[in-house]
Amino acid sequence: MTSLPRDTAPDAARAGGRAPEHRVEHRIVIPGHVPMVALLGSGDSVLRAVEDGFPSVDVHVRGNEISVTGAAGEVALASRLLDELLEVVEAGTQLTADVVRRSIGMLTAATSSRPAEVLTFNILSSRGRTIRPKTVGQKHYVDAIDANTITFGIGPAGTGKTYLAMAKAVQALQSKQVNRIILTRPAVEAGERLGFLPGSLTEKIDPYLRPLYDALHDMIDPDSIPKLIEAGTIEVAPLAFMRGRSLNDSFIILDEAQNTTSEQMKMFLTRLGFGSRMVITGDATQVDLPGGTSSGLRVIEDVLTGVDDVEFCRLTSSDVVRHRLVSDIIDAYARWDVAAAGARGREGDRRGRGADRERRTRNDT
C-alpha cells in the first residue's frame, strides 16, 4: 500500500477568517493484485464500518485509491486501520463489519498486538474453514495454551473459551503431540446427581456433554467421530468419571469449571499425567451449584498462586464474538451487579447505624 500525505490546512486557512482545525489528507494506493471489493466489502459494508469508526474523518474511494482526510491523529489511526485490513485481505481472511470494529478496538486500546497479527493467526484448518482468534484476548489465550501445561480460560459466554481450546486439542492430536483428547464437564444442577432424569446413564449425561460434541463436529469429519470415540482417541465423559485415573499423553479440557466444587477441581487437576496438557474453562459469574457450595473455579487462582507452568487468562466482554448485544448484555449485568452490591452495602450500613442507636438507647435507660 502506498500512502501519500498532503497537508490541507493552508487551503482551509485561506478559505476562512479564523484558524481552522489542522487537517491532513492521506491518499492510499491499493496494489493491483488486491480486489477492491475484498477490501471495501460487499455493498461497501467494510468501508461504511470504517467511516462509522471514524465519524470525523472523510474517506473517499476512486479506483484503487483511497483518500482519508481529517484531523492528523484521526487520519493516522484510520490509515493504520486500512493498512491492517489490507494485510488481513492479503492473508485470505474475509473482511466484515465485525472484523473492522474489533480491529478499531485493538488499535484504540493501544495493545502490543496488531489486528493483522491476531486475525491471520491460524490455529486449525478443517472442513473448508480456518479457525483463528478474533480478539487480542483470544490470541493471548491461545498463546498461553501453547506455553503452559495448565491454562485457565475464565470469562463470560461467547468469548470462545471452549471452542478455541477444542481447536488446540484437535491440532495437538493431528500433529501427534498427544495420543488422545479427553473432554469433560460437570453434569451440573445437582452436583452430578442424575438419578431423577429418565433413561439410561448415557441418555442422562448426553445433554450436558452436547456442546462438546457440537464443537467436535465443527472440526472433525462427523463420520469419523464415532470411530475415534470407540478407539478411545477421543473421550467425552462427565467429570465424575475422571476419579482415580492418571491421564498421560492427552489433551484434557474441563468445560463449565465454575460448576465444580473445590474437591472436584483438586481431583481433576491431580489427574494430570506425563506428556499431557490441560485447559480449564468457565465463567465464575454463572455458577449453578446448590446454595452454600463454593465454586472450585473461584478459589483456584488463590490456591495456585506462585505455581509455575500454570496461567490464568481472563477474557472480557470485549472478547465476545457472538451477536453485538451479547457483549452489551454482559456489560449491563456487570453494572447491575456493582449497583446491587452498593445498595446492599448501604442497607447494611443503615441497619448497623440503627442497631448502634438501639444499643445507645438501651444503655441510656
Side-chain angles (χ1 to χ4, degrees):
M1 176 184 292
T2 304
S3 182
L4 307 173
R6 184 165 71 89
D7 193 337
T8 64
D11 295 336
R14 286 192 293 271
R18 59 188 179 85
E21 179 185 13
H22 187 73
R23 292 170 64 83
V24 298
E25 177 187 9
H26 271 260
R27 287 184 290 128
I28 303 163
V29 180
I30 308 301
H33 66 274
V34 177
M36 291 300 289
V37 68
L39 182 61
L40 303 180
S42 176
D44 289 343
S45 58
V46 171
L47 176 61
R48 286 197 300 273
V50 173
E51 292 173 330
D52 291 342
F54 297 94
S56 63
V57 171
D58 295 323
V59 183
H60 298 285
V61 180
R62 177 174 294 179
N64 70 329
E65 184 176 291
I66 302 175
S67 66
V68 184
T69 308
E74 290 289 288
V75 167
L77 201 56
S79 299
R80 185 181 167 198
L81 171 66
L82 290 168
D83 281 335
E84 297 289 332
L85 296 180
L86 176 62
E87 192 171 332
V88 170
V89 169
E90 290 182 311
T93 300
Q94 182 180 1
L95 294 184
T96 64
D98 281 340
V99 168
V100 174
R101 284 191 286 269
R102 286 194 288 269
S103 297
I104 293 173
M106 294 180 212
L107 291 174
T108 55
T111 64
S112 59
S113 298
R114 295 170 43 235
E117 179 186 21
V118 172
L119 299 170
T120 61
F121 181 85
N122 294 343
I123 302 173
L124 180 71
S125 294
S126 175
R127 306 184 65 200
R129 59 181 299 191
T130 300
I131 298 172
R132 304 180 177 96
K134 296 182 178 180
T135 69
V136 172
Q138 288 189 350
K139 175 65 162 53
H140 172 65
Y141 176 46
V142 170
D143 289 342
I145 293 173
D146 284 333
N148 297 275
T149 298
I150 299 177
T151 303
F152 288 83
I154 302 172
T159 51
K161 305 181 298 296
T162 304
Y163 199 79
L164 293 175
M166 189 77 75
K168 292 300 296 181
V170 173
Q171 179 198 49
L173 182 66
Q174 291 179 345
S175 62
K176 302 189 185 304
Q177 298 174 39
V178 298
N179 295 330
R180 57 180 174 164
I181 297 173
I182 298 175
L183 311 172
T184 184
R185 52 172 12 200
V188 206
E189 291 239 316
E192 305 199 27
R193 292 191 293 272
L194 302 171
F196 66 93
L197 293 174
S200 66
L201 178 61
T202 299
E203 291 170 334
K204 291 170 190 269
I205 64 179
D206 264 359
Y208 295 99
L209 304 175
R210 178 52 50 191
L212 301 178
Y213 285 113
D214 291 343
L216 270 180
H217 280 135
D218 277 357
M219 300 172 196
I220 298 177
D221 178 14
D223 292 336
S224 68
I225 292 176
K227 299 175 185 176
L228 292 170
I229 291 176
E230 185 177 351
T233 304
I234 295 177
E235 179 181 347
V236 186
L239 180 59
F241 287 21
M242 298 297 109
R243 191 174 296 279
R245 302 175 62 185
S246 180
L247 306 174
N248 297 316
D249 300 312
S250 304
F251 196 113
I252 312 149
I253 299 173
L254 170 59
D255 190 33
E256 297 289 334
Q258 74 274 9
N259 290 322
T260 62
T261 64
S262 293
E263 293 77 12
Q264 287 172 329
M265 179 66 78
K266 178 182 178 181
M267 179 274 290
F268 173 77
L269 292 173
T270 53
R271 301 307 96 201
L272 180 67
F274 295 107
S276 290
R277 191 176 299 270
M278 282 183 168
V279 179
I280 298 94
T281 71
D283 178 0
T285 68
Q286 296 195 38
V287 176
D288 299 316
L289 292 170
T293 305
S294 297
S295 167
L297 186 64
R298 286 180 172 170
V299 301
I300 192 62
E301 189 166 4
D302 292 334
V303 173
L304 295 183
T305 296
V307 176
D308 202 19
D309 208 16
V310 176
E311 183 160 351
F312 290 83
C313 293
R314 296 198 174 274
L315 300 165
T316 69
S317 61
S318 63
D319 298 304
V320 170
V321 293
R322 292 181 183 169
H323 192 286
R324 176 189 56 79
L325 274 176
V326 175
S327 178
D328 293 342
I329 289 168
I330 290 167
D331 287 338
Y333 266 102
R335 291 191 298 270
W336 183 84
D337 286 340
V338 170
R344 287 193 297 270
R346 289 191 296 273
E347 177 64 16
D349 291 343
R350 185 186 65 78
R351 290 179 178 176
R353 289 193 296 271
D356 287 342
R357 285 195 298 270
E358 185 177 346
R359 282 194 296 271
R360 286 196 298 270
T361 300
R362 285 199 302 267
N363 291 337
D364 290 343
T365 58

